[in-house]
Amino acid sequence: PEFPGVVSCADDATLVSGSRDNHLMIWNMTEQQTAGVPGVPVKCLEGHAHFVSSIAMSSDGAFALSGSWDHTLRLWEVATGRCIRTFKGHTKDVLAVAFSADNRHIISCGRDKTIRLWNTVGEVKKVYSDKPHSEWVTSVAITPSEAAEETLVLSAGWDNKVKAFKLLDGSHVADMEAHTGPVNSVVVSPDGTVAASAGKDGKVCLWKLTGEDKFTVSHTFDCGDHTINALAFCPTRFWLAAATNKGVIVFDLPAEAAVAEFDVAEPVDAEVEEVTKRFTPAAASIAWSQDGAKLFVGCADNTIRTFRCSQ
């Protein structure tokens, strides 16, 4: 696909990607069935009229939700590739989408500076208007609370802020201010105790989501001049992966240290004695396999790369 800006893992056998060719692609990642090839495309999902900017998977992997620069969201059935619903309401590019843990609620955000709550039949239930972002809203994440009344929506924006809202009524809960530049990504840990945000200032901020000091920074990783495009928590270990303009960094959160850092350039042929220029594409998006054994990275050279985790 052309510039696969977003990747999301449905299960250990299925990957869904979206890109600037306006399409989504479903990939078979079962190597026994693909003759050892890391991934084989099995379905191309057509319908969006502009770039696909975001993908979220339902918790059971049965449905994919996409956001696009055509101002719409689409809900897709993964097994058939059929679009079963189109969500209309945003007035500018949709930049991020998310499912609630019970799959009953959908959140979207975009360049119209709004955050919208939808039901699964495509109706807007709420446009968050209590202390909204003043610039583009680039990312949203939903805490995995069992009760909808206790569920929070975290958002990131180009006003340098991370915000917290109540899911159902959209009331503002907190401004989380630590970044000095536009924030590109916010994610919540699988257990809901920690959030992470990152962006153009090259910093990854970890935020407490529990306790008396919730919504405060517990640790910051300084990535120097790396612009961070996306973050992903590992589902099986307390690790966090960051996709940057220079490659990928994986952090061990309890150790407060990076455990891996690598670019996503093509391997150099061993027979080439001297390499004068080695193009390293930006890592635009990132997702873990459900077993935490692989990282899938959407790159700016129109490829998706797969990395195995040895630890």
Side-chain angles (χ1 to χ4, degrees):
E2 180 185 350
F3 199 157
V6 284
V7 289
S8 189
C9 194
D11 53 48
D12 288 331
T14 308
L15 185 75
V16 182
S17 66
S19 71
R20 293 190 175 185
D21 61 8
N22 306 353
H23 301 148
L24 283 78
M25 197 78 73
I26 298 176
W27 303 79
N28 183 345
M29 307 303 293
T30 308
E31 294 184 16
Q32 301 94 301
Q33 300 176 14
T34 59
V37 178
V40 172
V42 292
K43 291 185 181 71
C44 180
L45 313 187
E46 299 181 346
H48 280 298
H50 211 317
F51 301 160
V52 178
S53 55
S54 180
I55 295 173
M57 304 303 303
S58 61
S59 59
D60 58 3
F63 298 95
L65 180 68
S66 58
S68 169
W69 284 20
D70 65 7
H71 308 178
T72 71
L73 292 71
R74 285 178 177 258
L75 185 65
W76 308 84
E77 191 176 52
V78 173
T80 63
R82 181 172 63 98
C83 177
I84 58 177
R85 196 148 288 120
T86 301
F87 300 65
K88 297 181 180 180
H90 281 281
T91 59
K92 293 185 179 180
D93 308 344
V94 179
L95 297 181
V97 296
F99 273 110
S100 62
D102 62 6
N103 302 319
R104 296 177 58 191
H105 305 284
I106 287 169
I107 288 288
S108 63
C109 66
R111 286 199 172 101
D112 58 8
K113 305 177 187 178
T114 69
I115 301 169
R116 294 171 186 261
L117 170 68
W118 311 75
N119 60 22
T120 56
V121 297
E123 298 170 334
V124 178
K125 306 304 291 182
K126 190 74 178 179
V127 179
Y128 293 3
S129 57
D130 184 11
K131 299 181 181 178
H133 286 276
S134 60
E135 296 294 340
W136 296 348
V137 190
T138 52
S139 182
V140 284
I142 304 177
T143 60
S145 307
E146 293 184 2
E149 295 77 14
E150 299 174 359
T151 303
L152 297 177
V153 172
L154 302 185
S155 61
W158 273 32
D159 54 6
N160 305 358
K161 293 181 180 179
V162 176
K163 289 176 174 279
F165 301 89
K166 289 186 178 180
L167 171 70
L168 294 184
D169 65 10
S171 58
H172 177 265
V173 176
D175 277 347
M176 300 152 69
E177 300 185 50
H179 289 284
T180 57
V183 188
N184 292 331
S185 182
V186 62
V187 291
V188 175
S189 63
D191 65 0
T193 62
V194 177
S197 60
K200 289 197 170 186
D201 63 2
K203 291 181 171 57
V204 177
C205 294
L206 301 181
W207 303 88
K208 297 179 182 178
L209 296 183
T210 59
E212 295 182 358
D213 55 350
K214 71 164 82 173
F215 308 127
T216 61
V217 174
S218 62
H219 188 73
T220 300
F221 295 105
D222 190 342
C223 302
D225 59 353
H226 294 251
T227 292
I228 301 165
N229 300 311
L231 297 170
F233 275 103
C234 178
T236 59
R237 288 171 282 199
F238 219 44
W239 285 6
L240 178 71
T244 81
N245 278 3
K246 297 184 178 182
V248 173
I249 306 173
V250 180
F251 301 99
D252 181 326
L253 302 191
E256 297 184 347
V259 293
E261 183 172 354
F262 49 91
D263 64 35
V264 291
E266 289 285 357
V268 176
D269 191 325
E271 296 181 0
V272 178
E273 295 182 359
E274 184 177 352
V275 179
T276 56
K277 290 185 178 181
R278 184 169 178 257
F279 172 66
T280 300
S285 60
I286 196 159
W288 293 88
S289 61
Q290 294 300 305
D291 62 3
K294 295 178 182 177
L295 268 176
F296 305 109
V297 184
C299 303
D301 62 351
N302 310 339
T303 65
I304 299 168
R305 287 171 163 79
T306 303
F307 297 90
R308 297 184 187 275
C309 299
S310 58
Q311 295 188 30

